[in-house]
Amino acid sequence: MLDIHNLRKRASLIQNLRHFFLEQDFLEVDTPIRIPAPAPEIYIEPELSGDFFLQTSPELCMKRLLANGSEKIFQICKCFRKGERGNFHLPEFTMLEWYRINSDYNDLIKDCENLLSFLVESLSINNTAIQHLKKTSEKFTVDEAFEKYSPIGLEECLIKGSFEENLCLHIEPQLGLTSPTILYDYPAELGALAKLRKDNSAIAERFELYINGIEIANGFSELTDASDQRARFEKDSYIINSQGRKSPIPEKFLADLERMPEAAGIALGVDRLAMILWGASSINEVITFTPEEL
Amino acid sequence: MYSASDLRKGLKIQIDGEPYIVTDFQFSKPGKGQALYRTKLRNMLTGNQFDRTYRSNDKFEKAPLMERTMQFLYAQGDEYHFMDIKDYEQFPISKEQLGDDIRFLIDNMEVQVLLFNDIPIGVTLPNFVNLTVTQADPWAKGDTSGSDTKPVTVETGFVLQVPPFVEEGDKIQIDTRTGEYMTRVK
């Protein structure tokens, strides 16, 4: 449980996040937490809530707002992912998502850099351990990162199904130590809602932001081709159903996607960001109550 | 059977017929991918440690372990002899297996002994033990040097920090989990 001092720190972080986006004319939105059909994700299990699901991310509703005229929007909300608990995971956590039309993942990378510099300045944290957050980020493609840090190359890892293991054991601990690190250009199959590169359809325009070896944010240029999106959903939904979970196709989202302009969007874990800013070693140190304390 | 989501620090599982305890546990889920359950495991027979990573669908057998209450009888070289208080059966346990617990072990102390297929593999002491102080510097009254603890030695040879009023011959209660002084016992 947070004491008054840490409650104030958390409140200040959230107010400053808000301030950063409002200053840049982003519109704050609050979309429903209970939804009938989340994006089918093989490795993310949503909690059931009656006939609905609790959102694992506000992504689909926020993109529907873009399709219906919003241009720059952000949201700070709770998301729920079943069975995720560890030093960096909570089954209920706070997410910051922002979306911008006529943008791609490069614009989001700039947003991330600006946001981190703004936070270090505005929270007036003198902690020398986080001054590297203000530096321009170091950038590696996923392929380069595997080349540099993993004993097994990217292609072989994908074939053998050891992508996560090598990423987690050999690559992530090296990322974001002296400046924020951007890992970008993911294999197409690892970017379920991301646009593929025009010059190389095997690569998705997706990136992740790492600080101190911790994954902080995941962003991408949005896939706007509704029929391609439907095909990807149906493929993943089939696998999820075969695991015995329900995974309805988000039809209303797909209908709106037809009209969505080119856009980019990103999800950032607010609790993990708080951990880094405060120098906490466990996510338990930055949230009001842990699930075990309830 | 346990599944990967049951993994946590302290869980005891059986792998290839041998008991292992999870000494460290980390849940990871890089890049929207598969969940990884990263563990450090210690073989409860050999003490060997290693890292192993599991996936969501991995399953584990429970380690067939049994606990019996035993009394510490005597030490002979590096062997410590214990006796079951119900059936008087005796078991030797090596100094290495006892590890840091030796710091608190005195004759006749009742402990919980963990057995794997009738082989003792571990000892759990009571949370609190009372030990006699065998060596302590006298409390210099009026000492205003500011230190509010002093080191003393107890009958097992263990040295710990205690408040200055504790004297040689006193019995003190120690928390065996932390090795810290709790209180003076009358």
Side-chain angles (χ1 to χ4, degrees):
Chain A
M1 198 193 305
L2 291 190
D3 60 18
I4 292 276
H5 172 69
N6 284 316
L7 281 173
R8 287 207 180 98
K9 268 166 59 177
R10 187 174 170 97
S12 167
L13 169 61
I14 290 180
Q15 281 153 17
N16 275 286
L17 289 173
R18 233 176 221 125
H19 186 74
F20 175 81
F21 287 100
L22 294 174
E23 282 277 284
Q24 298 182 69
D25 294 324
F26 275 77
L27 180 67
E28 181 166 12
V29 299
D30 59 329
T31 57
I33 283 175
R34 285 178 78 248
I35 51 174
E41 293 262 12
I42 299 169
Y43 300 119
I44 297 178
E45 187 173 352
E47 292 279 1
L48 294 172
S49 174
D51 292 337
F52 278 35
F53 299 88
L54 298 182
Q55 68 180 3
T56 57
S57 146
E59 179 167 0
L60 301 191
C61 282
M62 290 183 78
K63 287 200 243 182
R64 289 184 69 187
L65 295 178
L66 297 184
N68 288 285
S70 291
E71 296 184 347
K72 295 202 289 185
I73 51 175
F74 79 100
Q75 174 159 214
I76 297 170
C77 60
K78 295 289 187 188
C79 293
F80 303 83
R81 294 180 183 181
K82 199 169 178 177
E84 301 197 0
R85 182 72 177 108
N87 269 346
F88 305 103
H89 290 83
L90 287 167
E92 172 180 348
F93 61 100
T94 303
M95 190 87 107
L96 160 66
E97 295 211 2
W98 71 95
Y99 292 81
R100 38 159 77 238
I101 61 162
N102 303 326
S103 305
D104 66 12
Y105 67 155
N106 292 307
D107 300 303
L108 296 174
I109 291 171
K110 282 187 211 104
D111 283 342
C112 287
E113 290 175 343
N114 293 339
L115 175 63
L116 291 172
S117 300
F118 171 80
L119 288 176
V120 175
E121 292 295 330
S122 64
L123 295 169
S124 53
I125 300 172
N126 292 320
N127 185 354
T128 51
I130 60 160
Q131 295 309 313
H132 64 300
L133 268 63
K134 289 197 283 189
K135 290 195 191 153
T136 308
S137 55
E138 175 184 42
K139 298 174 184 72
F140 297 115
T141 65
V142 173
D143 198 26
E144 285 165 355
F146 270 77
E147 189 72 26
K148 193 167 158 103
Y149 299 117
S150 167
I152 306 168
L154 174 60
E155 210 159 314
E156 197 181 337
C157 286
L158 289 170
I159 294 165
K160 287 187 173 162
S162 62
F163 176 84
E164 290 90 353
E165 206 160 324
N166 281 285
L167 180 62
C168 178
L169 297 179
H170 304 293
I171 300 174
E172 288 189 333
Q174 310 297 331
L175 304 181
L177 304 181
T178 53
S179 71
T181 296
I182 300 291
L183 200 59
Y184 70 104
D185 283 357
Y186 278 68
E189 61 266 41
L190 301 175
L193 293 107
K195 181 186 278 303
L196 302 181
R197 272 179 55 159
K198 281 203 186 88
D199 58 343
N200 185 352
S201 64
I203 288 176
E205 291 192 0
R206 172 188 163 195
F207 75 95
E208 296 242 9
L209 166 66
Y210 283 89
I211 303 169
N212 299 354
I214 304 167
E215 175 193 340
I216 297 295
N218 173 44
F220 40 85
S221 308
E222 301 293 348
L223 175 64
T224 49
D225 180 333
S227 63
D228 188 1
Q229 185 69 79
R230 176 182 294 279
R232 295 191 200 178
F233 278 172
E234 283 174 350
K235 184 165 156 257
D236 285 348
S237 181
Y238 177 80
I239 296 169
I240 297 167
N241 287 330
S242 71
Q243 294 168 348
R245 287 201 276 132
K246 278 203 298 185
S247 181
I249 300 295
E251 291 295 346
K252 286 180 181 157
F253 163 74
L254 287 174
D256 280 346
L257 191 59
E258 304 269 6
R259 291 179 283 125
M260 192 176 94
E262 295 298 308
I266 177 167
L268 181 150
V270 173
D271 307 305
R272 288 192 191 170
L273 181 60
M275 284 177 71
I276 289 177
L277 292 168
W278 304 3
S281 58
S282 162
I283 203 162
N284 295 354
E285 296 168 42
V286 302
I287 54 165
T288 52
F289 294 94
T290 63
E292 296 78 19
E293 283 170 335
L294 292 173
Chain B
M1 288 292 263
Y2 292 119
S3 68
S5 58
D6 294 317
L7 286 170
R8 61 183 183 276
K9 233 168 154 167
L11 190 76
K12 296 172 184 110
I13 57 175
Q14 182 169 241
I15 305 168
D16 299 333
E18 296 197 333
Y20 287 81
I21 183 163
V22 178
T23 55
D24 197 21
F25 169 69
Q26 249 190 348
F27 177 81
S28 311
K29 208 161 179 292
K32 284 191 161 192
Q34 283 202 58
L36 300 175
Y37 300 80
R38 296 160 63 190
T39 60
K40 278 194 200 309
L41 297 170
R42 194 179 69 229
N43 185 312
M44 296 173 77
L45 301 179
T46 63
N48 287 345
Q49 302 223 37
F50 61 89
D51 296 344
R52 199 178 266 190
T53 300
Y54 294 101
R55 306 274 180 130
S56 304
N57 41 9
D58 285 324
K59 299 260 184 285
F60 312 92
E61 267 182 78
K62 232 172 165 162
L65 298 163
M66 196 175 58
E67 230 176 20
R68 288 162 75 168
T69 305
M70 298 198 196
Q71 194 175 42
F72 173 53
L73 297 178
Y74 60 92
Q76 195 173 37
D78 280 351
E79 286 212 324
Y80 287 67
H81 293 261
F82 291 81
M83 180 181 72
D84 187 300
I85 58 165
K86 285 204 190 96
D87 61 14
Y88 311 117
E89 193 181 350
Q90 288 191 27
F91 294 88
I93 299 183
S94 74
K95 187 175 179 177
E96 199 187 347
Q97 277 181 316
L98 286 166
D100 281 350
D101 286 348
I102 280 178
R103 302 179 303 176
F104 310 111
L105 200 60
I106 51 169
D107 290 358
N108 302 323
M109 182 180 276
E110 281 188 10
V111 299
Q112 297 298 315
V113 176
L114 189 66
L115 298 116
F116 176 73
N117 294 332
D118 284 333
I119 305 160
I121 60 166
V123 170
T124 309
L125 301 187
N127 290 345
F128 301 101
V129 296
N130 296 335
L131 298 177
T132 306
V133 175
T134 53
Q135 200 217 318
D137 292 332
W139 183 20
K141 278 206 175 123
D143 176 5
T144 52
S145 62
S147 87
D148 47 6
T149 62
K150 64 174 186 183
V152 298
T153 310
V154 294
E155 59 191 298
T156 58
F158 178 56
V159 178
L160 74 162
Q161 293 290 326
V162 301
F165 56 77
V166 174
E167 292 170 351
E168 216 164 282
D170 283 351
K171 248 191 183 359
I172 59 171
Q173 189 180 73
I174 300 171
D175 187 327
T176 59
R177 295 159 297 184
T178 60
E180 280 169 11
Y181 167 88
M182 298 307 293
T183 179
R184 191 160 53 162
V185 187
K186 287 274 167 324

